[in-house]
Amino acid sequence: MRRYHWVRLYALVLMIILFAVAVLSGLRWSVDMYRESARQRSVVRSVQGIGRASSAIEKAVSSIARTAGQEQYEKLQELIMDDDDIRFSEKELEGYFRTGYANRIKSALGKDSHSVCTMLDSFIPEDERNTLSVADNPETHVYMEKDADGNTAALWIKNVTIRYDDPLIGERTDKISYSVRFPEAVFHAGNDDLFRYCMVAGKGIYIMGSTSSIIGDIYAGKHTAEECRDAELVYGETGTYGGINILSTQLGVKSDRIVSEGDININESFVVFSPEGGELCCYGQRMNEIEGLSKDATYTLDGTFYHTSKLEGEQFAEYRSIVNLVGLSLGNLKSIPIYYDSNNDGGYSEKYRKLISDSDIELTKDFTGIVATPGNVIVHKDVNFEGIILCGDRIYIRGNNNIVANAGVDRTIIASEDGAQGIIRVMDYIGGMKASGLKDPEYYVIPYR
């Protein structure tokens, strides 16, 4: 009986000990779980905190970028206030804008890594300063990326180290780079690539008569054999029809781009092709290579002739780009609903003339402005033209004509129409047109890890 009593006593003590061990183990597990939970909460807080700091940096840099864009745009607009100013093309102004925009942002952020880090750190809200900061990192810098031509292609804020200090997990850091995007800046209302041309004809250009001169780029499309006209037979077209055809004249051409989808036929003429300011590139299927049709023709070409059937590489890409530009530009001409001549519009007070028509146009007097029609344009003898002729069909030049491209004239007309209501606008019938102004990107600053 006594032995049984001691066994019961030992069992009770053992149970108490085992219970105590279980309680202690449970407490330790609970403490470990609490610590792990607290650590995880701290990790989450650090990630969220770094995210908030990064968002604050993005917001502040976006504000700087927006102001830089506006200031640079306004500065460049001052250079082109003169409506006849053709010193700067849209492409040149875009290059100046991108470089000036990037330099303004660089100047605002700091000249060296320490200055940049200090500036970025100041963007973090005051109530976050106890835990969040931008570390002073010698690898942090503002980087302007250039393309192969030396133009500003991209802007980066590289290797920004954001630090989060937590009493439980200590210091946590994340390295982030930021891409700063460029707003779209349009300075000249219109289509500046198109405005390099003095003549764009969808189905060919035909030139004859007394001595004439052409200054500016030229584009001549082609047409089918079924579309040939009796008046064109004397020009000597064969095989391909349309293109540039020159008959019984003396002609001086100063262009950087002469583009003919058909042949360039020169008959009983003396023609000098020379560059206007750059390098003359002349595109055509053939140039005076049709046997028996070029009679007493002499021409000089101070440039390079490219056979369109043999193009490759860079020349093929440029040719296709021009063809696409013209296709886009002429594509809306068929929607011209009426004949409109600004000379007959008593409410029109602009400096230059615009003439748009749903049918053929004949120019019998000197003209400065824009002509647009889906039909034909006839420039009569002794008539001079400055601006751009856009036609879906053919252009006929009758002799003793000076045809000159003037982007300043074209831009001025389009600028006067930009945003205007209740008027006949030539820009509504020319494809690829843009309104001048500054357009924000969807996001000015995008983070990358």
Side-chain angles (χ1 to χ4, degrees), residues 20-86:
V21 170
V23 170
L24 290 174
S25 297
L27 288 173
R28 181 186 300 171
W29 180 83
S30 296
V31 170
D32 289 343
M33 286 295 294
Y34 175 79
R35 287 177 176 172
E36 178 61 23
S37 177
R39 191 188 72 80
Q40 290 179 358
R41 287 197 298 271
S42 294
V43 170
V44 171
R45 282 197 301 269
S46 69
V47 172
Q48 292 174 337
I50 289 173
R52 290 194 303 274
S54 181
S55 295
I57 290 171
E58 293 166 35
K59 182 178 179 180
V61 174
S62 294
S63 178
I64 291 172
R66 187 175 293 105
T67 300
Q70 291 169 347
E71 291 176 348
Q72 184 65 15
Y73 185 82
E74 291 169 2
K75 178 181 178 181
L76 290 174
Q77 280 285 27
E78 294 175 2
L79 295 177
I80 56 173
M81 289 299 290
D82 183 353
D83 61 8
D84 287 327
D85 188 355
I86 58 173

Side-chain angles (χ1 to χ4, degrees), residues 60-296:
V61 174
S62 294
S63 178
I64 291 172
R66 187 175 293 105
T67 300
Q70 291 169 347
E71 291 176 348
Q72 184 65 15
Y73 185 82
E74 291 169 2
K75 178 181 178 181
L76 290 174
Q77 280 285 27
E78 294 175 2
L79 295 177
I80 56 173
M81 289 299 290
D82 183 353
D83 61 8
D84 287 327
D85 188 355
I86 58 173
R87 291 175 298 166
F88 304 105
S89 68
E90 187 72 25
K91 185 175 182 180
E92 289 172 324
L93 288 168
E94 181 185 3
Y96 298 148
F97 173 81
R98 293 175 71 90
T99 298
Y101 168 81
N103 281 327
R104 285 175 184 272
I105 295 173
K106 285 188 68 175
S107 178
L109 293 179
K111 62 182 180 180
D112 54 34
S113 295
H114 174 71
S115 300
V116 174
C117 292
T118 301
M119 179 59 71
L120 297 179
D121 185 67
S122 71
F123 298 151
I124 296 175
E126 191 68 33
D127 59 354
E128 301 266 25
R129 295 292 180 84
N130 291 333
T131 55
L132 287 167
S133 62
V134 173
D136 197 348
N137 182 356
E139 295 181 356
T140 302
H141 63 287
V142 182
Y143 173 66
M144 289 172 61
E145 184 178 326
K146 303 285 188 176
D147 62 19
D149 297 323
N151 300 312
T152 302
L155 180 66
W156 290 86
I157 305 173
K158 292 278 193 177
N159 303 319
V160 178
T161 302
I162 300 177
R163 181 171 56 209
Y164 183 90
D165 294 308
D166 186 272
L168 182 60
I169 63 173
E171 179 184 289
R172 180 183 180 88
T173 62
D174 197 358
K175 187 178 289 186
I176 305 174
S177 293
Y178 299 91
S179 171
V180 182
R181 298 305 172 95
F182 292 75
E184 180 184 4
V186 179
F187 294 92
H188 299 305
N191 185 332
D192 223 42
D193 290 333
L194 178 67
F195 291 162
R196 295 166 46 187
Y197 291 80
C198 60
M199 292 187 290
V200 178
K203 296 184 179 180
I205 297 175
Y206 298 82
I207 304 169
M208 65 184 307
S210 304
T211 301
S212 295
S213 66
I214 297 172
I215 301 176
D217 293 353
I218 305 168
Y219 186 98
K222 61 183 179 180
H223 59 263
T224 64
E226 290 72 24
E227 294 176 291
C228 284
R229 297 167 179 167
D230 292 341
E232 296 166 4
L233 297 177
V234 293
Y235 286 91
E237 296 172 288
T238 183
T240 58
Y241 300 90
I244 299 174
N245 300 274
I246 304 167
L247 175 66
S248 301
T249 187
Q250 296 185 67
L251 178 66
V253 181
K254 292 177 70 72
S255 300
D256 292 330
R257 295 292 179 272
I258 298 173
V259 181
S260 173
E261 289 191 62
D263 296 330
I264 299 177
N265 296 317
I266 303 171
N267 277 297
E268 299 177 346
S269 300
F270 176 76
V271 184
V272 176
F273 298 99
S274 59
E276 183 182 4
E279 177 187 355
L280 171 56
C281 294
C282 183
Y283 297 90
Q285 290 203 34
R286 296 172 292 185
M287 188 165 186
N288 246 38
E289 294 180 2
I290 305 173
E291 186 176 353
L293 290 177
S294 298
K295 304 170 185 177
D296 301 321

Side-chain angles (χ1 to χ4, degrees), residues 409-429:
V409 169
D410 306 334
R411 293 167 184 161
T412 301
I413 292 174
I414 301 303
S416 71
E417 299 180 337
D418 191 12
Q421 301 294 327
I423 64 170
I424 301 296
R425 305 195 312 176
V426 67
M427 67 183 298
D428 292 333
Y429 307 106

Side-chain angles (χ1 to χ4, degrees), residues 284-315:
Q285 290 203 34
R286 296 172 292 185
M287 188 165 186
N288 246 38
E289 294 180 2
I290 305 173
E291 186 176 353
L293 290 177
S294 298
K295 304 170 185 177
D296 301 321
T298 303
Y299 72 92
T300 61
L301 175 65
D302 184 10
T304 305
F305 180 79
Y306 296 101
H307 293 268
T308 54
S309 60
K310 301 176 182 178
L311 291 175
E312 58 185 13
E314 183 179 340
Q315 278 71 43

